[in-house]
Amino acid sequence: MLLAFDTATPAITAAVHDGTAVRAESTQVDARRHGELLLPTVDEVLREAGVKLDAVTGIVVGVGPGPYTGLRVGLVTAAAFGDALGVPVYGVCTLDGIAYAAGQADDLDGPFVVATDARRKEVYWARYGDPRTRITDPAVDRPADIADEVAGLPAVGAGAALYPEVFTGVRPQAPVHQSAAALAALASERLARGEEFLPALPLYLRRPDAQVPAGYKLVMPK
Amino acid sequence: MADEPLVLGIETSCDETGVGVVRGHTLLADAVATSVDEHARFGGVVPEVASRAHLEAMVPTIQRALKDAGVSASDLDGIAVTAGPGLAGALLVGVSAAKAYAYALGKPLYGVNHLASHICVDQLEHGALPEPTMALLVSGGHSSLLLAPDITSDVRSLGSTIDDAAGEAFDKVARVLGLGFPGGPVIDRYAREGDPDAIRFPRGLTGPRDPLYDFSFSGLKTSVARWIEARRAAGETVPVADVAASFQEAVTDVLTRKAIRACKDHGVDHLMMGGGVAANSRLRAMAEERCAAAGIELRVPRPKLCTDNGAMVAALGAEMVARGRAASDWELPADSSLPVTEPHVPGRHHAA
């Protein structure tokens, strides 16, 4: 019994998956309230699924890449649940969940690209061979700088929709936002196949913005 | 006493990941992981660096605190967390962790105020707080005079800084002197070798028409910088120890003078001091002298409980449990500007 959630995109999404099927899912989009909404959303899906916490055998969490503040909400919540319940925490690349969901919603039989909004006029993105197989490491770039690499490829995710001039193959029928149900279903497949997971650590892909000061500013003008 | 509430407290408002465990007024564990070294080269706390460090340290620090306390998480009567004020992204790591532990363990959650926690921590050191408590709270982010008839429900602000916090002034003066970050401990060290009367730096907001209980340290900081720059411009050596001692004297003079005035005006026979600057040796000594002279009892915790820590949050959480205050709900936000007058954030529709 998996409890899955992801806060690496504007969505706050949680789901319960019993190893065969999704038992409950809830997704809200509110980029500024991850911290407030995640626990109530988890509570809601557990209730809806009629699953008690002590039945949960693993936590699945989207590890990004994503804007840091929201991303950390999901990761620290997953780590705390893992510790308090004594169950493993399975990290999954957030883009993998979107790719998997796109595969379920759309007829994607060849390579495609997933992109989310990284703000500051950049995207987090990766290329996929099929909905279950990522073939590049997740990266953060300005859309114009990767135009050649993504031109003509089918593209899914909010980052692709934001920059249609670069992501020329945007698929309107694919879901735009992350879904914990897709993340849980993907993790469940990977568990069944005995595949490795990512550690539940954040994929920030950027260093903190901070400048080492050159010296202090004089109070008295020279 | 075994029937006193056993509470775990989490503090992540700035650069310390603190987790404490208390039973009533008894300190059982005080685990702190700090990212201060990572901020030093930037000359101040970098919020994103602090938030990243909190995420890494959170679960290990909780595990360490429980182990040090020799208690099991399932025995806890509640989990308390700093809901504000502080750095938004840093607070959010602690608040999210506290919610998940409380939810997973089936324990009530108490989102509490950082400043009230700095006062309540003294219960671990000197027993139950008098009511009302007069408190001088001085740190890198805050300088306030607070009167608390009930630390769990009624905290009033008599005055606070109108510009820089006292600790901020220490950091800035240390930067001008080239002593690095953080400034408090290093200025304290140099000041011991210096003459506090060597330079007469200004005492902010102490004029006859100035507000009685507010503070200002920005002018003092500028005055110290000007004095140093003038020496440097004249090619003279800056007497670092004398500058440190004289600056520190100006800060502690104003803080203690106003705090004692507040006690007298309000008929309160004791003064509690807390916050990182309350770890300063000169402030402690001067407060001791002046309180004794005024017939006021001084209560100040050991330095480790003055700086940010989780035990203080646990102490306030335990008081919330003991007094039957409403728990917070699962939507509890991290509030970077939580007013000092709100000791905790009760739930609107608590379901736990």
Side-chain angles (χ1 to χ4, degrees), chain B residues 82-135:
Chain B
T82 303
L87 301 171
L91 288 167
L92 194 53
V93 176
V95 168
S96 299
K99 284 185 193 179
Y101 275 100
Y103 186 84
L105 297 165
K107 308 294 182 187
L109 170 75
Y110 296 88
V112 301
N113 189 298
H114 180 77
L115 304 177
S117 301
H118 267 305
I119 298 173
C120 200
V121 72
D122 197 50
Q123 298 204 135
L124 306 177
E125 203 81 311
H126 300 109
L129 286 171
E131 293 187 335
T133 291
M134 180 68 74

Side-chain angles (χ1 to χ4, degrees), chain A residues 35 43 83 206 216 219-220, chain B residues 52 63 99 101 103 229:
Chain A
D43 186 45
D83 182 44
R206 293 188 188 121
Y216 89 97
V219 170
M220 291 191 293
Chain B
R52 290 185 181 197
Q63 290 172 335
K99 284 185 193 179
Y101 275 100
Y103 186 84
E229 287 169 19

Side-chain angles (χ1 to χ4, degrees), chain B residues 167 170-171 174 180-189 248 277 280:
Chain B
F170 275 86
D171 288 339
F181 172 87
V186 66
I187 296 247
D188 193 346
R189 223 162 36 242
Q248 183 174 274
V277 177
N280 179 274

